[in-house]
């Protein structure tokens, strides 16, 4: 069953889009109203058409506006947002691990299976710090590349700490960044 709203110059289908309902030339606009990990609707978009889709990657959802330009899409205005994730056959669930008896939760959206015992030992075992030498420029995103780790503020104590290396001040002494 298809529901359609007809405005003065527009037909708006209110359904999951199926191939047989695509108008000749494609849609001028597509608005996806569910958090997605993929964007399989691009071929349904007309040349110059716009598609707004909340894409979830690295455990964070960002809403993008895509404009079709030939066979490519130009992504505009990514904005962090929240949407209910796709359910059913299109689902791509995050993987979560409760660590330190639930005081810390790790969420990742791809990669090998989580070794919860090893991760738990890394949190509760003897602390070891080893700097990789990798530097990140100011303004360069680095906090959402691998997943998210959440600490229960009532139970986590000092299990999770912000990993920012002290910067050298003008006098050559370490200058710690404020949190």
């Amino acid at each position: 069953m298809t529901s359609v709203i007809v405005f003065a110059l527009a037909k708006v289908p209110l359904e999951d889009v199926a191939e047989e309902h695509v108008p000749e030339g494609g849609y001028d606009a597509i608005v996806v109203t569910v958090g997605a990990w993929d964007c399989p609707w691009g071929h349904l978009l007309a040349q110059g058409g716009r598609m707004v889709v909340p894409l979830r990657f690295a455990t964070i959802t960002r809403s993008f506006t895509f404009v079709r330009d030939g066979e490519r899409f130009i992504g505009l205005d990514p904005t962090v947002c929240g949407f209910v994730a796709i359910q059913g056959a299109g689902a791509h669930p995050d993987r979560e691990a409760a660590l330190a008896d639930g005081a810390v939760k790790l969420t990742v959206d791809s990669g090998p299976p989580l070794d919860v015992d090893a991760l738990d030992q890394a949190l509760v075992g003897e602390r070891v710090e080893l700097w990789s030498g990798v530097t990140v420029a100011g303004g360069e995103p680095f906090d959402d590349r691998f997943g998210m780790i959440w600490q229960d503020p009532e139970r986590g104590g000092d299990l999770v700490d912000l990993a920012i290396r002290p910067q050298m001040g003008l006098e050559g002494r370490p200058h710690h960044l404020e949190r």
Side-chain angles (χ1 to χ4, degrees):
M1 177 186 223
T2 302
S3 299
V4 176
I5 296 176
V6 179
F7 292 98
L9 297 174
K11 274 177 77 174
V12 181
L14 303 175
E15 64 179 332
D16 287 339
V17 176
E19 296 292 329
E20 62 268 13
H21 297 290
V22 179
E24 186 175 333
Y27 289 105
D28 294 323
I30 298 174
V31 178
V32 179
T33 58
V34 64
W37 62 276
D38 193 8
C39 192
W41 308 282
H43 70 284
L44 304 175
L45 196 60
Q47 288 297 322
R50 290 180 176 254
M51 174 172 48
V52 178
V53 58
L55 285 176
R56 184 169 179 84
F57 53 94
T59 72
I60 296 177
T61 303
R62 295 164 186 86
S63 178
F64 285 87
T65 299
F66 291 105
V67 178
R68 185 161 189 180
D69 180 22
E71 292 302 311
R72 67 187 187 123
F73 295 90
I74 300 169
L76 307 172
D77 305 321
T79 303
V80 174
C81 62
F83 277 80
V84 173
I86 286 180
Q87 307 292 308
H92 188 76
D94 288 339
R95 290 177 297 125
E96 295 182 351
L99 306 172
D101 293 324
V104 174
K105 180 176 84 172
L106 173 67
T107 305
V108 295
D109 62 1
S110 63
L114 299 174
D115 184 341
V116 176
D117 291 334
L119 291 167
D120 221 21
Q121 181 59 37
L123 281 176
V124 299
E126 183 179 336
R127 184 175 185 141
V128 175
E129 292 185 17
L130 176 65
W131 293 99
S132 67
V134 174
T135 59
V136 179
E140 182 178 349
F142 69 93
D143 59 343
D144 62 348
R145 299 275 168 101
F146 306 107
M148 291 290 233
I149 191 162
W150 305 93
Q151 176 176 294
D152 180 339
E154 303 296 320
R155 301 178 47 215
D158 64 350
L159 292 174
V160 178
D161 197 8
L162 184 62
I164 293 182
R165 188 171 204 175
Q167 298 200 0
M168 300 306 275
L170 295 176
E171 303 83 29
R173 295 190 307 255
H175 171 74
H176 295 276
L177 298 176
E178 292 188 29
R179 296 182 198 196

